[in-house]
Amino acid sequence: MTVRVTGAQKSYRARRGEPVHALDDVTVEARAGELLTVVGPSGSGKSTLLRAIAGLETLDAGSVMVGDVDVTALAPGRRGVAMVFQDAALYPHLSVAGNIGLGERARGRGRSQTRERVAEVAESLGIGELLDRLPSQLSGGERQRVALARAVIRAPKVCLLDEPLSSLDADLRLRMRGEVRDLQRRTGATMVHVTHDQAEAMAIGDRLAVMQAGRVVQVDTPERVFAEPATSFVARFVGPLPMNLLTGDGPTRGVRPERVRLRDNAAGDVDQVEPGLSGLAGVVESVESAGEDAVVRVRHAGGVLLARVTGTSRPSVGDQLRAVWDAGDEHRFDRDTGERL
Ligand SMILES: Nc1ncnc2c1ncn2[C@@H]1O[C@H](COP(=O)(O)OP(=O)(O)OP(=O)(O)O)[C@@H](O)[C@H]1O
């Protein structure tokens, strides 16, 4: 089932000061059966977008379509979408089975049928052994799985996930990422997953919708968002390290730290041009170990440049060197608007 948001506007009135445009003309589509990850910094409007799809926020303008149905004016319960929240709000006095099956009973499914279905869903999420426990007797990851089970028991065509993994520790988050991905593949549901963590978004999204200040600035596959960021903001937000941006008279030039190579420049030469290469001279300000790699900060005339270097030969703080990269690896952005050129 496709989810399509068109021209969505939403402002919150602050008690004092200017209203906040949480959504500023947002148009975005999650295709049937895909996992669309909405990613952006804190306050960019991700939760508002998700809540608007769920029907928990009313839009000032614009529409939400689920499949062929315009659900803009429908109550949350009538939209045919399930939602999982960040804090996995479970009923504390109900067992795991009770929490997962609550909606089923409410929708009139029989007791034994519900029990069977609950067991099936719980099994598929690896919590089959925990059905008699209370939420207080679960770990954070287990609670998240219960929340997921509760959402998918209805076999929803559309499932909305609001930072479901953000409260988990790094290790568990990694495992749960895989499980969310598997769950989506198995159920074939359309999923819209919100996160502020670009690494998580890159890892599980079929496509990413990158938000900035209430706008969707790019929608594309993780590979393409990384390789061809639509704006300088996306270039810095998406990727293991922010893209280096060099500003000057002309367009802003960008180069990924992974593409920068460092060369000795003990003489401190400034202008040494080789065909096909761009580069600058600088001094090593810091060297930070990152497993097999190191991230080197190079101070140059125009600011600081990051370089990710592999291998054992690492520069030392204070070294004079030359940072170079293939001219073809350079990105260009409009100096004023930040748009990719
Ligand atoms: N109920 C509200 N009243 C007033 N302002 C709000 C309300 N909800 C959200 N906002 C504002 O709207 C903007 C978008 O908020 P939203 O929660 O959608 O962002 P987000 O991208 O999900 O952020 P986060 O990653 O921090 O959850 C923010 O500036 C926020 O302060």
Side-chain angles (χ1 to χ4, degrees), residues 7-309:
Q9 300 272 5
K10 176 77 186 178
S11 298
Y12 293 109
R13 297 222 169 274
R15 216 167 287 152
R16 263 179 290 164
E18 294 294 302
V20 179
H21 292 291
L23 298 179
D24 186 3
D25 194 16
V26 167
T27 295
V28 65
E29 176 183 287
R31 296 174 187 154
E34 87 169 340
L35 201 165
L36 179 75
T37 312
V38 180
V39 65
S42 184
S44 54
K46 308 180 297 291
S47 295
T48 304
L49 174 62
L50 206 68
R51 292 169 59 82
I53 296 171
L56 302 170
E57 298 283 356
T58 39
L59 292 173
D60 300 334
S63 67
V64 181
M65 301 278 294
V66 174
D68 296 331
V69 183
D70 185 339
V71 301
T72 316
L74 292 186
R78 317 200 60 198
R79 294 189 175 203
V81 305
M83 183 150 169
V84 181
F85 296 95
Q86 181 169 4
D87 53 3
L90 304 177
Y91 292 99
H93 59 286
L94 289 181
S95 67
V96 166
N99 268 285
I100 300 175
L102 191 68
E104 293 303 282
R105 295 285 287 145
R107 274 182 290 277
R109 205 192 273 253
R111 194 180 291 272
S112 69
Q113 249 187 325
T114 299
R115 202 179 304 131
E116 257 173 52
R117 179 80 182 124
V118 166
E120 186 184 308
V121 172
E123 205 58 50
S124 79
L125 279 160
I127 48 173
E129 306 293 307
L130 308 176
L131 289 174
D132 296 327
R133 298 232 195 131
L134 289 172
S136 60
Q137 300 166 320
L138 301 176
S139 74
E142 289 163 350
R143 273 201 288 273
Q144 275 302 343
R145 271 176 245 208
V146 176
L148 276 173
R150 190 171 55 183
V152 299
I153 193 167
R154 290 160 58 186
K157 294 275 194 317
V158 175
C159 193
L160 309 175
L161 310 170
D162 192 1
E163 301 257 9
L165 312 181
S166 65
S167 59
L168 309 179
D169 65 46
D171 189 37
L172 193 56
R173 202 159 61 212
L174 217 58
R175 256 191 299 145
M176 287 295 291
R177 263 188 209 170
E179 288 186 17
V180 168
R181 191 65 261 199
D182 285 351
L183 189 69
Q184 192 275 333
R185 291 222 174 91
R186 264 185 286 128
T187 59
T190 305
M191 284 196 183
V192 184
H193 175 254
V194 160
T195 178
H196 64 273
D197 178 351
Q198 62 81 27
E200 183 170 302
M202 297 284 273
I204 68 173
D206 289 313
R207 290 191 307 151
L208 266 51
V210 186
M211 290 194 73
Q212 177 194 14
R215 289 173 163 267
V216 171
V217 286
Q218 187 167 15
V219 186
D220 216 327
T221 60
E223 296 75 23
R224 284 179 57 91
V225 172
F226 182 76
E228 287 180 34
T231 67
S232 54
F233 164 81
V234 178
R236 288 190 63 78
F237 186 72
V238 172
L241 292 167
M243 185 184 284
N244 294 301
L245 296 179
L246 303 167
T247 50
D249 292 339
T252 301
R253 298 183 300 144
V255 60
R256 293 257 174 226
E258 294 82 358
R259 300 290 182 173
V260 177
R261 304 187 291 279
L262 299 177
R263 293 184 179 172
D264 196 35
N265 183 28
D269 291 342
V270 180
D271 32 293
Q272 175 192 321
V273 188
E274 287 172 58
L277 286 187
S278 295
L280 46 82
V283 179
V284 174
E285 193 171 76
S286 68
V287 181
E288 205 179 285
S289 204
E292 281 187 24
D293 300 349
V295 178
V296 181
R297 286 169 64 88
V298 179
R299 167 75 54 188
H300 60 94
V304 168
L305 184 96
L306 295 184
R308 186 169 197 127
V309 298

